[in-house]
Amino acid sequence: MKNPMLEAVSLVLEKLLLISNFKLFSSGTPDENKARTTYSVNSFLRGDVLEVPRTNFTHYGIYLGDNRVAHMMPDILLALTDDKGLTQKVVSNKRLVLGVIVKVASIRVDTVEDFAYGADILVNHLDKSLKKKALLNEEVAQRAEKLLGTTSYSLLWNNCEHFVTYCRFGTAISPQSDKFCENVKIIIRDQRSVLASAVLGLASIVCLGMASYTTLPAIFIPFCLWMAG
C-alpha cells in the first residue's frame, strides 16, 4: 500500500514543477558573462514591438529608434537609491528578482543589445498572435516615451507585456498572465490538491504542535480548495 504522505509530497512537487514551466515571468535579465550579439537595427522601425523569447518567459519592449528600446524592468535599486548612475546600469538577475518581490520597476531605455542580450528578436509578433489592429508607429513610440520612469510592478497585473500592449494597441493585456491564471484554475479544480493540502496541514500540526499558525491553514486552505473545486 502506498504511503499517503509520500503521495501528497509527490503531488505537490508535480504541481510546483508544472508551474515553474509556465511562461509567467515577463521580464528579461542578462547573464553577465554571455557574449553579445550584433543586431541589424536598421530593420527596426520606431514604434515596433520587439519580443525576446526565453526559456520560461518572453520579454517585450518598444523600439524608439537610434538603437534604443523602452521596456519595463523590475529593479530593487529603485527602492533603495535615487542615484541614476547606479540604477541606469543594466539590471542584473539579483536586482530583477528582488525588484519583483518588492514590486518596483522602471520603464527604462536600453540599447537593443542590452535589451535582447544574445537572444533572437521577433518584431511585431503580437500583432499576429493577438489579431489586434495596432496604432500608428509614431503614436506607439510616443506613448512609451510618456511612460518612462519608475512604476509599480506585478507579475500578473502590470508587467512588460501590459506595457507594450497598452502602447501598441491602447489596451493593457498579458496573454502570458492569462495563461498562468488558467493553469492555476486547473490545479485548484484538481480534487487531489485538497487531499495534498490536508495531509500537509496535518503533518505541520503533528510536527509543530497545535497553534493558530498551523491549525487555521490546515483547515482553511483545504476548505477553500474544496469549495473552489
Side-chain angles (χ1 to χ4, degrees):
M1 183 176 178
K2 294 183 179 180
N3 189 319
M5 177 62 74
L6 292 179
E7 286 187 341
V9 172
S10 176
L11 176 61
V12 172
L13 291 176
E14 176 186 333
K15 303 288 189 183
L16 292 175
L17 180 61
L18 179 64
I19 292 175
S20 70
N21 287 325
F22 294 155
K23 290 188 174 184
L24 169 61
F25 295 96
S26 14
S27 54
T29 184
D31 176 352
E32 288 83 352
N33 298 319
K34 187 174 182 179
R36 297 301 182 93
T37 299
T38 301
Y39 298 93
S40 178
V41 297
N42 292 330
S43 63
F44 303 146
L45 299 177
R46 177 173 161 84
D48 281 348
V49 171
L50 304 188
E51 178 177 332
V52 183
R54 300 191 188 279
T55 303
N56 291 316
F57 52 82
T58 303
H59 188 45
Y60 297 90
I62 302 292
Y63 187 64
L64 301 180
D66 299 325
N67 197 34
R68 299 175 302 130
V69 183
H71 59 133
M72 181 185 289
M73 287 290 287
D75 186 359
I76 184 62
L77 285 185
L78 296 170
L80 302 177
T81 179
D82 294 327
D83 187 344
K84 292 185 178 180
L86 294 175
T87 57
Q88 285 180 347
K89 293 180 180 179
V90 177
V91 180
S92 65
N93 283 314
K94 292 180 180 178
R95 284 169 56 186
L96 183 148
V97 172
L98 293 175
V100 170
I101 293 173
V102 300
K103 298 185 178 182
V104 62
S106 67
I107 297 173
R108 52 183 286 153
V109 176
D110 286 306
T111 64
V112 172
E113 289 76 17
D114 286 338
F115 164 77
Y117 221 88
D120 293 332
I121 297 178
L122 299 178
V123 182
N124 297 329
H125 183 68
L126 283 175
D127 292 9
K128 297 179 181 178
S129 61
L130 296 181
K131 297 180 180 179
K132 288 182 173 290
K133 183 179 180 180
L135 301 173
L136 296 177
N137 270 39
E138 181 58 30
E139 183 177 354
V140 174
Q142 290 179 4
R143 280 171 169 256
E145 290 169 337
K146 289 179 180 179
L147 294 174
L148 293 178
T150 304
T151 183
S152 59
Y153 185 83
S154 168
L155 285 171
L156 296 181
W157 316 120
N158 189 38
N159 59 43
C160 68
E161 194 170 19
H162 290 103
F163 162 64
V164 298
T165 52
Y166 168 76
C167 293
R168 184 74 175 173
F169 308 110
T171 303
I173 57 176
S174 176
Q176 290 186 109
S177 299
D178 294 342
K179 181 180 179 181
F180 171 76
C181 291
E182 285 300 318
N183 283 296
V184 169
K185 290 180 182 178
I186 293 174
I187 293 173
I188 291 175
R189 288 174 183 149
D190 188 341
Q191 294 296 333
R192 294 180 300 169
S193 299
V194 180
L195 175 61
S197 300
V199 171
L200 291 176
L202 292 174
S204 68
I205 292 176
V206 171
C207 295
L208 302 175
M210 293 286 290
S212 59
Y213 61 84
T214 57
T215 307
L216 290 178
I219 298 174
F220 185 70
I221 294 176
F223 175 75
C224 289
L225 291 175
W226 176 265
M227 296 303 293

